[in-house]
Amino acid sequence: MSARTVDWTARSDGTDGEGLGAGEGLGAGEGLRERKKRELRQRLTDTATEMFLDRGFDAVRVAEIAEACGVSEKTVYNYFPTKEALILDHPDAAADKLRRGLADFDRTPVEAILTILADELNAMVGWLSAQPDPAQAAEHVRRFNALIQTTPALRAHQRDMNEQLIAIAAETLAKRAAMSAEDPEPQIVATALLGLWQVQFTALRRYLDGTRTPAQLRHAISAEVQRATGLIVDGVGGFAR
């Protein structure tokens, strides 16, 4: 895990995670070629993140990132289809989490989403706790979040990713309930459940102020998510049980 970038999203199974950074989990049986590709991908997103934080997203060209990493601009686009994806990536991993979690009949859809959110929050808190200077690491996360919130292109990219995940959640829920993904029930349930991601992200911005320990931060954010969950559980808690 790089100490230079926001990188708390490795899933508990050791594979790459989804969200604000590129995870560095080493898969079982990873060969030399795969390792080199993973390391280059991480170096690209690390470098891009630092350049964006230092100069602003719009002021940095992809060609500059490529030059800083010693590769061609084409190589950057081979790993990341858009400039925005250099800093907001891993939609495939997020989609996989949703499909597996929401298809699990041993848990309600609400329980599945809460498990995913708890895993991500625990990973972030663990990352903060492992840093030599947690306060400095927290400031780095705040700068990262501020960059996203103040850059229209990144906010639009984030919305597009969220819409894709809502569609995937609706499709998975519809299959689970033997319905069509176009039916209103799976659509509204998917929208409500994915809204909890935004609640957690907003709570992170709210409470990551440098005054709380990682454990206190986890407690405060979890409480916000639980409050929001309480508002929707009566309406969607029994769907496709």
Side-chain angles (χ1 to χ4, degrees), residues 27-65:
E30 182 185 43
L32 178 61
R33 178 181 176 85
E34 289 74 19
R35 179 175 61 82
K36 288 184 176 181
K37 290 175 64 176
R38 174 177 56 80
E39 290 175 346
L40 175 56
R41 183 184 183 87
Q42 186 66 47
R43 187 164 76 252
L44 289 170
T45 193
D46 282 356
T47 302
T49 298
E50 289 302 314
M51 294 176 74
F52 294 154
L53 288 173
D54 289 341
R55 294 163 49 192
F57 180 80
D58 295 328
V60 178
R61 295 180 293 110
V62 174
E64 295 178 88
I65 299 169

PDB file of all heavy atoms in Angstrom, residues 27-65:
ATOM      1  N   GLY A  27      -3.142 -11.134  -5.908  1.00  0.00           N
ATOM      2  CA  GLY A  27      -3.952 -12.319  -6.062  1.00  0.00           C
ATOM      3  C   GLY A  27      -3.114 -13.578  -6.001  1.00  0.00           C
ATOM      4  O   GLY A  27      -1.927 -13.584  -6.335  1.00  0.00           O
ATOM      5  N   ALA A  28      -3.707 -14.669  -5.581  1.00  0.00           N
ATOM      6  CA  ALA A  28      -3.007 -15.939  -5.492  1.00  0.00           C
ATOM      7  C   ALA A  28      -2.569 -16.377  -6.889  1.00  0.00           C
ATOM      8  O   ALA A  28      -3.331 -16.323  -7.835  1.00  0.00           O
ATOM      9  CB  ALA A  28      -3.915 -16.987  -4.861  1.00  0.00           C
ATOM     10  N   GLY A  29      -1.310 -16.798  -6.994  1.00  0.00           N
ATOM     11  CA  GLY A  29      -0.816 -17.294  -8.261  1.00  0.00           C
ATOM     12  C   GLY A  29      -0.512 -16.211  -9.277  1.00  0.00           C
ATOM     13  O   GLY A  29      -0.413 -16.498 -10.467  1.00  0.00           O
ATOM     14  N   GLU A  30      -0.358 -14.972  -8.830  1.00  0.00           N
ATOM     15  CA  GLU A  30      -0.065 -13.880  -9.750  1.00  0.00           C
ATOM     16  C   GLU A  30       1.309 -14.077 -10.372  1.00  0.00           C
ATOM     17  O   GLU A  30       2.306 -14.261  -9.668  1.00  0.00           O
ATOM     18  CB  GLU A  30      -0.124 -12.551  -9.005  1.00  0.00           C
ATOM     19  CG  GLU A  30       0.126 -11.347  -9.913  1.00  0.00           C
ATOM     20  CD  GLU A  30       0.174 -10.048  -9.125  1.00  0.00           C
ATOM     21  OE1 GLU A  30       0.806 -10.038  -8.052  1.00  0.00           O
ATOM     22  OE2 GLU A  30      -0.429  -9.067  -9.569  1.00  0.00           O
ATOM     23  N   GLY A  31       1.368 -14.005 -11.702  1.00  0.00           N
ATOM     24  CA  GLY A  31       2.632 -14.175 -12.393  1.00  0.00           C
ATOM     25  C   GLY A  31       3.387 -12.869 -12.515  1.00  0.00           C
ATOM     26  O   GLY A  31       2.897 -11.800 -12.150  1.00  0.00           O
ATOM     27  N   LEU A  32       4.593 -12.951 -13.045  1.00  0.00           N
ATOM     28  CA  LEU A  32       5.445 -11.775 -13.181  1.00  0.00           C
ATOM     29  C   LEU A  32       4.794 -10.729 -14.081  1.00  0.00           C
ATOM     30  O   LEU A  32       4.807  -9.525 -13.763  1.00  0.00           O
ATOM     31  CB  LEU A  32       6.805 -12.183 -13.747  1.00  0.00           C
ATOM     32  CG  LEU A  32       7.801 -11.038 -13.992  1.00  0.00           C
ATOM     33  CD1 LEU A  32       8.126 -10.336 -12.687  1.00  0.00           C
ATOM     34  CD2 LEU A  32       9.076 -11.583 -14.642  1.00  0.00           C
ATOM     35  N   ARG A  33       4.201 -11.160 -15.186  1.00  0.00           N
ATOM     36  CA  ARG A  33       3.576 -10.223 -16.107  1.00  0.00           C
ATOM     37  C   ARG A  33       2.416  -9.485 -15.435  1.00  0.00           C
ATOM     38  O   ARG A  33       2.285  -8.266 -15.569  1.00  0.00           O
ATOM     39  CB  ARG A  33       3.076 -10.980 -17.348  1.00  0.00           C
ATOM     40  CG  ARG A  33       2.351 -10.103 -18.368  1.00  0.00           C
ATOM     41  CD  ARG A  33       1.866 -10.955 -19.545  1.00  0.00           C
ATOM     42  NE  ARG A  33       1.091 -10.187 -20.479  1.00  0.00           N
ATOM     43  CZ  ARG A  33       1.595  -9.466 -21.463  1.00  0.00           C
ATOM     44  NH1 ARG A  33       2.918  -9.412 -21.622  1.00  0.00           N
ATOM     45  NH2 ARG A  33       0.812  -8.800 -22.288  1.00  0.00           N
ATOM     46  N   GLU A  34       1.603 -10.246 -14.703  1.00  0.00           N
ATOM     47  CA  GLU A  34       0.463  -9.629 -14.027  1.00  0.00           C
ATOM     48  C   GLU A  34       0.929  -8.659 -12.947  1.00  0.00           C
ATOM     49  O   GLU A  34       0.337  -7.600 -12.752  1.00  0.00           O
ATOM     50  CB  GLU A  34      -0.437 -10.698 -13.408  1.00  0.00           C
ATOM     51  CG  GLU A  34      -1.229 -11.513 -14.415  1.00  0.00           C
ATOM     52  CD  GLU A  34      -0.379 -12.510 -15.169  1.00  0.00           C
ATOM     53  OE1 GLU A  34       0.731 -12.830 -14.677  1.00  0.00           O
ATOM     54  OE2 GLU A  34      -0.801 -12.969 -16.242  1.00  0.00           O
ATOM     55  N   ARG A  35       1.989  -9.044 -12.229  1.00  0.00           N
ATOM     56  CA  ARG A  35       2.504  -8.164 -11.181  1.00  0.00           C
ATOM     57  C   ARG A  35       3.021  -6.854 -11.759  1.00  0.00           C
ATOM     58  O   ARG A  35       2.761  -5.772 -11.221  1.00  0.00           O
ATOM     59  CB  ARG A  35       3.615  -8.866 -10.396  1.00  0.00           C
ATOM     60  CG  ARG A  35       4.220  -7.994  -9.295  1.00  0.00           C
ATOM     61  CD  ARG A  35       5.228  -8.756  -8.452  1.00  0.00           C
ATOM     62  NE  ARG A  35       6.355  -9.230  -9.241  1.00  0.00           N
ATOM     63  CZ  ARG A  35       7.413  -8.474  -9.559  1.00  0.00           C
ATOM     64  NH1 ARG A  35       7.456  -7.201  -9.159  1.00  0.00           N
ATOM     65  NH2 ARG A  35       8.401  -8.977 -10.256  1.00  0.00           N
ATOM     66  N   LYS A  36       3.743  -6.928 -12.875  1.00  0.00           N
ATOM     67  CA  LYS A  36       4.268  -5.718 -13.498  1.00  0.00           C
ATOM     68  C   LYS A  36       3.143  -4.820 -13.997  1.00  0.00           C
ATOM     69  O   LYS A  36       3.217  -3.586 -13.867  1.00  0.00           O
ATOM     70  CB  LYS A  36       5.203  -6.080 -14.647  1.00  0.00           C
ATOM     71  CG  LYS A  36       6.544  -6.652 -14.191  1.00  0.00           C
ATOM     72  CD  LYS A  36       7.466  -6.903 -15.360  1.00  0.00           C
ATOM     73  CE  LYS A  36       8.837  -7.371 -14.895  1.00  0.00           C
ATOM     74  NZ  LYS A  36       9.757  -7.609 -16.038  1.00  0.00           N
ATOM     75  N   LYS A  37       2.098  -5.424 -14.545  1.00  0.00           N
ATOM     76  CA  LYS A  37       0.966  -4.622 -14.997  1.00  0.00           C
ATOM     77  C   LYS A  37       0.271  -3.953 -13.821  1.00  0.00           C
ATOM     78  O   LYS A  37      -0.119  -2.785 -13.897  1.00  0.00           O
ATOM     79  CB  LYS A  37      -0.025  -5.501 -15.769  1.00  0.00           C
ATOM     80  CG  LYS A  37       0.496  -5.972 -17.123  1.00  0.00           C
ATOM     81  CD  LYS A  37      -0.466  -6.925 -17.798  1.00  0.00           C
ATOM     82  CE  LYS A  37      -1.785  -6.262 -18.124  1.00  0.00           C
ATOM     83  NZ  LYS A  37      -2.689  -7.173 -18.885  1.00  0.00           N
ATOM     84  N   ARG A  38       0.121  -4.703 -12.728  1.00  0.00           N
ATOM     85  CA  ARG A  38      -0.513  -4.126 -11.548  1.00  0.00           C
ATOM     86  C   ARG A  38       0.307  -2.983 -10.979  1.00  0.00           C
ATOM     87  O   ARG A  38      -0.221  -1.938 -10.599  1.00  0.00           O
ATOM     88  CB  ARG A  38      -0.719  -5.219 -10.487  1.00  0.00           C
ATOM     89  CG  ARG A  38      -1.235  -4.699  -9.155  1.00  0.00           C
ATOM     90  CD  ARG A  38      -1.485  -5.844  -8.179  1.00  0.00           C
ATOM     91  NE  ARG A  38      -0.320  -6.674  -7.972  1.00  0.00           N
ATOM     92  CZ  ARG A  38       0.691  -6.348  -7.161  1.00  0.00           C
ATOM     93  NH1 ARG A  38       0.658  -5.188  -6.509  1.00  0.00           N
ATOM     94  NH2 ARG A  38       1.722  -7.164  -7.008  1.00  0.00           N
ATOM     95  N   GLU A  39       1.625  -3.171 -10.942  1.00  0.00           N
ATOM     96  CA  GLU A  39       2.497  -2.133 -10.397  1.00  0.00           C
ATOM     97  C   GLU A  39       2.498  -0.890 -11.272  1.00  0.00           C
ATOM     98  O   GLU A  39       2.516   0.241 -10.761  1.00  0.00           O
ATOM     99  CB  GLU A  39       3.912  -2.685 -10.243  1.00  0.00           C
ATOM    100  CG  GLU A  39       4.039  -3.729  -9.135  1.00  0.00           C
ATOM    101  CD  GLU A  39       5.410  -4.355  -9.073  1.00  0.00           C
ATOM    102  OE1 GLU A  39       6.191  -4.176 -10.044  1.00  0.00           O
ATOM    103  OE2 GLU A  39       5.713  -5.034  -8.074  1.00  0.00           O
ATOM    104  N   LEU A  40       2.467  -1.074 -12.597  1.00  0.00           N
ATOM    105  CA  LEU A  40       2.409   0.082 -13.483  1.00  0.00           C
ATOM    106  C   LEU A  40       1.082   0.810 -13.315  1.00  0.00           C
ATOM    107  O   LEU A  40       1.037   2.045 -13.263  1.00  0.00           O
ATOM    108  CB  LEU A  40       2.594  -0.342 -14.940  1.00  0.00           C
ATOM    109  CG  LEU A  40       2.426   0.782 -15.975  1.00  0.00           C
ATOM    110  CD1 LEU A  40       3.369   1.949 -15.688  1.00  0.00           C
ATOM    111  CD2 LEU A  40       2.620   0.251 -17.391  1.00  0.00           C
ATOM    112  N   ARG A  41       0.009   0.052 -13.227  1.00  0.00           N
ATOM    113  CA  ARG A  41      -1.300   0.666 -13.020  1.00  0.00           C
ATOM    114  C   ARG A  41      -1.309   1.499 -11.733  1.00  0.00           C
ATOM    115  O   ARG A  41      -1.817   2.615 -11.702  1.00  0.00           O
ATOM    116  CB  ARG A  41      -2.378  -0.420 -12.962  1.00  0.00           C
ATOM    117  CG  ARG A  41      -3.790   0.106 -12.814  1.00  0.00           C
ATOM    118  CD  ARG A  41      -4.781  -1.054 -12.666  1.00  0.00           C
ATOM    119  NE  ARG A  41      -6.134  -0.553 -12.606  1.00  0.00           N
ATOM    120  CZ  ARG A  41      -6.903  -0.307 -13.651  1.00  0.00           C
ATOM    121  NH1 ARG A  41      -6.445  -0.527 -14.866  1.00  0.00           N
ATOM    122  NH2 ARG A  41      -8.123   0.172 -13.503  1.00  0.00           N
ATOM    123  N   GLN A  42      -0.731   0.937 -10.666  1.00  0.00           N
ATOM    124  CA  GLN A  42      -0.671   1.670  -9.402  1.00  0.00           C
ATOM    125  C   GLN A  42       0.185   2.914  -9.534  1.00  0.00           C
ATOM    126  O   GLN A  42      -0.157   3.979  -9.005  1.00  0.00           O
ATOM    127  CB  GLN A  42      -0.123   0.757  -8.302  1.00  0.00           C
ATOM    128  CG  GLN A  42      -0.154   1.396  -6.912  1.00  0.00           C
ATOM    129  CD  GLN A  42      -1.569   1.632  -6.414  1.00  0.00           C
ATOM    130  OE1 GLN A  42      -2.401   0.739  -6.498  1.00  0.00           O
ATOM    131  NE2 GLN A  42      -1.829   2.828  -5.926  1.00  0.00           N
ATOM    132  N   ARG A  43       1.319   2.806 -10.234  1.00  0.00           N
ATOM    133  CA  ARG A  43       2.199   3.960 -10.395  1.00  0.00           C
ATOM    134  C   ARG A  43       1.505   5.067 -11.193  1.00  0.00           C
ATOM    135  O   ARG A  43       1.647   6.257 -10.866  1.00  0.00           O
ATOM    136  CB  ARG A  43       3.501   3.544 -11.089  1.00  0.00           C
ATOM    137  CG  ARG A  43       4.537   4.677 -11.146  1.00  0.00           C
ATOM    138  CD  ARG A  43       5.917   4.160 -11.457  1.00  0.00           C
ATOM    139  NE  ARG A  43       6.080   3.814 -12.869  1.00  0.00           N
ATOM    140  CZ  ARG A  43       6.172   2.576 -13.320  1.00  0.00           C
ATOM    141  NH1 ARG A  43       6.113   1.555 -12.485  1.00  0.00           N
ATOM    142  NH2 ARG A  43       6.326   2.344 -14.615  1.00  0.00           N
ATOM    143  N   LEU A  44       0.744   4.692 -12.194  1.00  0.00           N
ATOM    144  CA  LEU A  44       0.012   5.681 -12.981  1.00  0.00           C
ATOM    145  C   LEU A  44      -1.010   6.431 -12.133  1.00  0.00           C
ATOM    146  O   LEU A  44      -1.093   7.657 -12.174  1.00  0.00           O
ATOM    147  CB  LEU A  44      -0.684   5.002 -14.171  1.00  0.00           C
ATOM    148  CG  LEU A  44       0.214   4.506 -15.296  1.00  0.00           C
ATOM    149  CD1 LEU A  44      -0.580   3.649 -16.284  1.00  0.00           C
ATOM    150  CD2 LEU A  44       0.864   5.684 -16.026  1.00  0.00           C
ATOM    151  N   THR A  45      -1.789   5.692 -11.349  1.00  0.00           N
ATOM    152  CA  THR A  45      -2.817   6.360 -10.548  1.00  0.00           C
ATOM    153  C   THR A  45      -2.199   7.136  -9.391  1.00  0.00           C
ATOM    154  O   THR A  45      -2.685   8.209  -9.019  1.00  0.00           O
ATOM    155  CB  THR A  45      -3.864   5.347 -10.044  1.00  0.00           C
ATOM    156  OG1 THR A  45      -5.001   6.064  -9.542  1.00  0.00           O
ATOM    157  CG2 THR A  45      -3.336   4.435  -8.969  1.00  0.00           C
ATOM    158  N   ASP A  46      -1.101   6.630  -8.801  1.00  0.00           N
ATOM    159  CA  ASP A  46      -0.392   7.372  -7.758  1.00  0.00           C
ATOM    160  C   ASP A  46       0.109   8.708  -8.306  1.00  0.00           C
ATOM    161  O   ASP A  46      -0.078   9.762  -7.694  1.00  0.00           O
ATOM    162  CB  ASP A  46       0.793   6.567  -7.246  1.00  0.00           C
ATOM    163  CG  ASP A  46       0.402   5.464  -6.285  1.00  0.00           C
ATOM    164  OD1 ASP A  46      -0.787   5.362  -5.944  1.00  0.00           O
ATOM    165  OD2 ASP A  46       1.295   4.685  -5.891  1.00  0.00           O
ATOM    166  N   THR A  47       0.783   8.638  -9.442  1.00  0.00           N
ATOM    167  CA  THR A  47       1.368   9.844 -10.039  1.00  0.00           C
ATOM    168  C   THR A  47       0.283  10.830 -10.434  1.00  0.00           C
ATOM    169  O   THR A  47       0.394  12.040 -10.171  1.00  0.00           O
ATOM    170  CB  THR A  47       2.207   9.465 -11.268  1.00  0.00           C
ATOM    171  OG1 THR A  47       3.234   8.544 -10.882  1.00  0.00           O
ATOM    172  CG2 THR A  47       2.850  10.690 -11.894  1.00  0.00           C
ATOM    173  N   ALA A  48      -0.771  10.332 -11.066  1.00  0.00           N
ATOM    174  CA  ALA A  48      -1.860  11.211 -11.476  1.00  0.00           C
ATOM    175  C   ALA A  48      -2.503  11.878 -10.272  1.00  0.00           C
ATOM    176  O   ALA A  48      -2.786  13.089 -10.289  1.00  0.00           O
ATOM    177  CB  ALA A  48      -2.900  10.417 -12.266  1.00  0.00           C
ATOM    178  N   THR A  49      -2.735  11.110  -9.217  1.00  0.00           N
ATOM    179  CA  THR A  49      -3.371  11.665  -8.023  1.00  0.00           C
ATOM    180  C   THR A  49      -2.543  12.799  -7.442  1.00  0.00           C
ATOM    181  O   THR A  49      -3.072  13.875  -7.117  1.00  0.00           O
ATOM    182  CB  THR A  49      -3.567  10.569  -6.960  1.00  0.00           C
ATOM    183  OG1 THR A  49      -4.435   9.559  -7.482  1.00  0.00           O
ATOM    184  CG2 THR A  49      -4.187  11.146  -5.695  1.00  0.00           C
ATOM    185  N   GLU A  50      -1.235  12.584  -7.307  1.00  0.00           N
ATOM    186  CA  GLU A  50      -0.380  13.622  -6.754  1.00  0.00           C
ATOM    187  C   GLU A  50      -0.349  14.867  -7.639  1.00  0.00           C
ATOM    188  O   GLU A  50      -0.391  16.000  -7.141  1.00  0.00           O
ATOM    189  CB  GLU A  50       1.036  13.082  -6.559  1.00  0.00           C
ATOM    190  CG  GLU A  50       1.157  12.071  -5.433  1.00  0.00           C
ATOM    191  CD  GLU A  50       0.715  12.645  -4.099  1.00  0.00           C
ATOM    192  OE1 GLU A  50       1.120  13.774  -3.760  1.00  0.00           O
ATOM    193  OE2 GLU A  50      -0.053  11.974  -3.396  1.00  0.00           O
ATOM    194  N   MET A  51      -0.294  14.683  -8.950  1.00  0.00           N
ATOM    195  CA  MET A  51      -0.263  15.822  -9.862  1.00  0.00           C
ATOM    196  C   MET A  51      -1.583  16.579  -9.824  1.00  0.00           C
ATOM    197  O   MET A  51      -1.606  17.819  -9.847  1.00  0.00           O
ATOM    198  CB  MET A  51       0.063  15.350 -11.282  1.00  0.00           C
ATOM    199  CG  MET A  51       1.465  14.776 -11.422  1.00  0.00           C
ATOM    200  SD  MET A  51       1.835  14.098 -13.076  1.00  0.00           S
ATOM    201  CE  MET A  51       2.026  15.626 -14.011  1.00  0.00           C
ATOM    202  N   PHE A  52      -2.682  15.856  -9.754  1.00  0.00           N
ATOM    203  CA  PHE A  52      -3.991  16.514  -9.676  1.00  0.00           C
ATOM    204  C   PHE A  52      -4.124  17.301  -8.379  1.00  0.00           C
ATOM    205  O   PHE A  52      -4.661  18.412  -8.360  1.00  0.00           O
ATOM    206  CB  PHE A  52      -5.117  15.482  -9.771  1.00  0.00           C
ATOM    207  CG  PHE A  52      -5.213  14.769 -11.091  1.00  0.00           C
ATOM    208  CD1 PHE A  52      -5.774  13.489 -11.164  1.00  0.00           C
ATOM    209  CD2 PHE A  52      -4.756  15.352 -12.255  1.00  0.00           C
ATOM    210  CE1 PHE A  52      -5.877  12.827 -12.373  1.00  0.00           C
ATOM    211  CE2 PHE A  52      -4.848  14.688 -13.472  1.00  0.00           C
ATOM    212  CZ  PHE A  52      -5.408  13.421 -13.530  1.00  0.00           C
ATOM    213  N   LEU A  53      -3.665  16.712  -7.266  1.00  0.00           N
ATOM    214  CA  LEU A  53      -3.754  17.404  -5.981  1.00  0.00           C
ATOM    215  C   LEU A  53      -2.876  18.645  -5.955  1.00  0.00           C
ATOM    216  O   LEU A  53      -3.241  19.668  -5.367  1.00  0.00           O
ATOM    217  CB  LEU A  53      -3.355  16.458  -4.857  1.00  0.00           C
ATOM    218  CG  LEU A  53      -4.347  15.342  -4.507  1.00  0.00           C
ATOM    219  CD1 LEU A  53      -3.732  14.383  -3.489  1.00  0.00           C
ATOM    220  CD2 LEU A  53      -5.661  15.906  -3.984  1.00  0.00           C
ATOM    221  N   ASP A  54      -1.722  18.574  -6.579  1.00  0.00           N
ATOM    222  CA  ASP A  54      -0.789  19.704  -6.565  1.00  0.00           C
ATOM    223  C   ASP A  54      -1.227  20.842  -7.481  1.00  0.00           C
ATOM    224  O   ASP A  54      -1.104  22.016  -7.115  1.00  0.00           O
ATOM    225  CB  ASP A  54       0.611  19.240  -6.982  1.00  0.00           C
ATOM    226  CG  ASP A  54       1.277  18.382  -5.922  1.00  0.00           C
ATOM    227  OD1 ASP A  54       0.834  18.433  -4.764  1.00  0.00           O
ATOM    228  OD2 ASP A  54       2.231  17.658  -6.261  1.00  0.00           O
ATOM    229  N   ARG A  55      -1.772  20.495  -8.665  1.00  0.00           N
ATOM    230  CA  ARG A  55      -2.024  21.526  -9.675  1.00  0.00           C
ATOM    231  C   ARG A  55      -3.476  21.665 -10.083  1.00  0.00           C
ATOM    232  O   ARG A  55      -3.839  22.617 -10.772  1.00  0.00           O
ATOM    233  CB  ARG A  55      -1.176  21.211 -10.917  1.00  0.00           C
ATOM    234  CG  ARG A  55       0.316  21.318 -10.667  1.00  0.00           C
ATOM    235  CD  ARG A  55       1.119  20.622 -11.764  1.00  0.00           C
ATOM    236  NE  ARG A  55       0.678  21.008 -13.085  1.00  0.00           N
ATOM    237  CZ  ARG A  55       1.053  20.375 -14.208  1.00  0.00           C
ATOM    238  NH1 ARG A  55       1.875  19.329 -14.132  1.00  0.00           N
ATOM    239  NH2 ARG A  55       0.621  20.785 -15.378  1.00  0.00           N
ATOM    240  N   GLY A  56      -4.312  20.722  -9.675  1.00  0.00           N
ATOM    241  CA  GLY A  56      -5.701  20.751 -10.111  1.00  0.00           C
ATOM    242  C   GLY A  56      -5.911  19.791 -11.269  1.00  0.00           C
ATOM    243  O   GLY A  56      -5.018  19.594 -12.110  1.00  0.00           O
ATOM    244  N   PHE A  57      -7.096  19.197 -11.333  1.00  0.00           N
ATOM    245  CA  PHE A  57      -7.371  18.175 -12.341  1.00  0.00           C
ATOM    246  C   PHE A  57      -7.258  18.725 -13.756  1.00  0.00           C
ATOM    247  O   PHE A  57      -6.637  18.117 -14.630  1.00  0.00           O
ATOM    248  CB  PHE A  57      -8.771  17.606 -12.103  1.00  0.00           C
ATOM    249  CG  PHE A  57      -9.178  16.539 -13.075  1.00  0.00           C
ATOM    250  CD1 PHE A  57      -8.744  15.233 -12.923  1.00  0.00           C
ATOM    251  CD2 PHE A  57     -10.009  16.840 -14.151  1.00  0.00           C
ATOM    252  CE1 PHE A  57      -9.114  14.246 -13.819  1.00  0.00           C
ATOM    253  CE2 PHE A  57     -10.396  15.854 -15.052  1.00  0.00           C
ATOM    254  CZ  PHE A  57      -9.943  14.560 -14.890  1.00  0.00           C
ATOM    255  N   ASP A  58      -7.846  19.878 -14.002  1.00  0.00           N
ATOM    256  CA  ASP A  58      -7.897  20.416 -15.366  1.00  0.00           C
ATOM    257  C   ASP A  58      -6.537  20.902 -15.862  1.00  0.00           C
ATOM    258  O   ASP A  58      -6.322  21.007 -17.072  1.00  0.00           O
ATOM    259  CB  ASP A  58      -8.906  21.569 -15.433  1.00  0.00           C
ATOM    260  CG  ASP A  58     -10.324  21.107 -15.186  1.00  0.00           C
ATOM    261  OD1 ASP A  58     -10.640  19.951 -15.547  1.00  0.00           O
ATOM    262  OD2 ASP A  58     -11.126  21.890 -14.630  1.00  0.00           O
ATOM    263  N   ALA A  59      -5.624  21.221 -14.943  1.00  0.00           N
ATOM    264  CA  ALA A  59      -4.334  21.782 -15.342  1.00  0.00           C
ATOM    265  C   ALA A  59      -3.322  20.714 -15.752  1.00  0.00           C
ATOM    266  O   ALA A  59      -2.271  21.045 -16.296  1.00  0.00           O
ATOM    267  CB  ALA A  59      -3.749  22.616 -14.196  1.00  0.00           C
ATOM    268  N   VAL A  60      -3.640  19.449 -15.505  1.00  0.00           N
ATOM    269  CA  VAL A  60      -2.707  18.358 -15.804  1.00  0.00           C
ATOM    270  C   VAL A  60      -3.164  17.619 -17.045  1.00  0.00           C
ATOM    271  O   VAL A  60      -4.330  17.229 -17.159  1.00  0.00           O
ATOM    272  CB  VAL A  60      -2.616  17.373 -14.611  1.00  0.00           C
ATOM    273  CG1 VAL A  60      -1.672  16.223 -14.945  1.00  0.00           C
ATOM    274  CG2 VAL A  60      -2.154  18.100 -13.355  1.00  0.00           C
ATOM    275  N   ARG A  61      -2.238  17.440 -17.999  1.00  0.00           N
ATOM    276  CA  ARG A  61      -2.547  16.681 -19.208  1.00  0.00           C
ATOM    277  C   ARG A  61      -2.112  15.223 -19.036  1.00  0.00           C
ATOM    278  O   ARG A  61      -1.141  14.935 -18.324  1.00  0.00           O
ATOM    279  CB  ARG A  61      -1.845  17.301 -20.424  1.00  0.00           C
ATOM    280  CG  ARG A  61      -2.337  18.690 -20.777  1.00  0.00           C
ATOM    281  CD  ARG A  61      -1.604  19.268 -21.978  1.00  0.00           C
ATOM    282  NE  ARG A  61      -0.197  19.526 -21.680  1.00  0.00           N
ATOM    283  CZ  ARG A  61       0.810  18.835 -22.180  1.00  0.00           C
ATOM    284  NH1 ARG A  61       0.582  17.826 -23.020  1.00  0.00           N
ATOM    285  NH2 ARG A  61       2.058  19.146 -21.852  1.00  0.00           N
ATOM    286  N   VAL A  62      -2.838  14.321 -19.694  1.00  0.00           N
ATOM    287  CA  VAL A  62      -2.498  12.902 -19.617  1.00  0.00           C
ATOM    288  C   VAL A  62      -1.081  12.665 -20.133  1.00  0.00           C
ATOM    289  O   VAL A  62      -0.349  11.815 -19.611  1.00  0.00           O
ATOM    290  CB  VAL A  62      -3.521  12.055 -20.410  1.00  0.00           C
ATOM    291  CG1 VAL A  62      -3.080  10.596 -20.456  1.00  0.00           C
ATOM    292  CG2 VAL A  62      -4.908  12.172 -19.791  1.00  0.00           C
ATOM    293  N   ALA A  63      -0.664  13.440 -21.131  1.00  0.00           N
ATOM    294  CA  ALA A  63       0.691  13.296 -21.669  1.00  0.00           C
ATOM    295  C   ALA A  63       1.744  13.572 -20.598  1.00  0.00           C
ATOM    296  O   ALA A  63       2.811  12.944 -20.586  1.00  0.00           O
ATOM    297  CB  ALA A  63       0.883  14.244 -22.850  1.00  0.00           C
ATOM    298  N   GLU A  64       1.455  14.509 -19.684  1.00  0.00           N
ATOM    299  CA  GLU A  64       2.400  14.807 -18.606  1.00  0.00           C
ATOM    300  C   GLU A  64       2.498  13.643 -17.629  1.00  0.00           C
ATOM    301  O   GLU A  64       3.582  13.335 -17.114  1.00  0.00           O
ATOM    302  CB  GLU A  64       1.959  16.065 -17.871  1.00  0.00           C
ATOM    303  CG  GLU A  64       1.985  17.329 -18.708  1.00  0.00           C
ATOM    304  CD  GLU A  64       1.480  18.520 -17.915  1.00  0.00           C
ATOM    305  OE1 GLU A  64       2.288  19.168 -17.226  1.00  0.00           O
ATOM    306  OE2 GLU A  64       0.269  18.795 -17.970  1.00  0.00           O
ATOM    307  N   ILE A  65       1.368  13.018 -17.353  1.00  0.00           N
ATOM    308  CA  ILE A  65       1.372  11.858 -16.462  1.00  0.00           C
ATOM    309  C   ILE A  65       2.188  10.730 -17.091  1.00  0.00           C
ATOM    310  O   ILE A  65       2.984  10.066 -16.426  1.00  0.00           O
ATOM    311  CB  ILE A  65      -0.065  11.406 -16.180  1.00  0.00           C
ATOM    312  CG1 ILE A  65      -0.846  12.525 -15.486  1.00  0.00           C
ATOM    313  CG2 ILE A  65      -0.088  10.130 -15.336  1.00  0.00           C
ATOM    314  CD1 ILE A  65      -2.345  12.278 -15.411  1.00  0.00           C
TER     315      ILE A  65
END
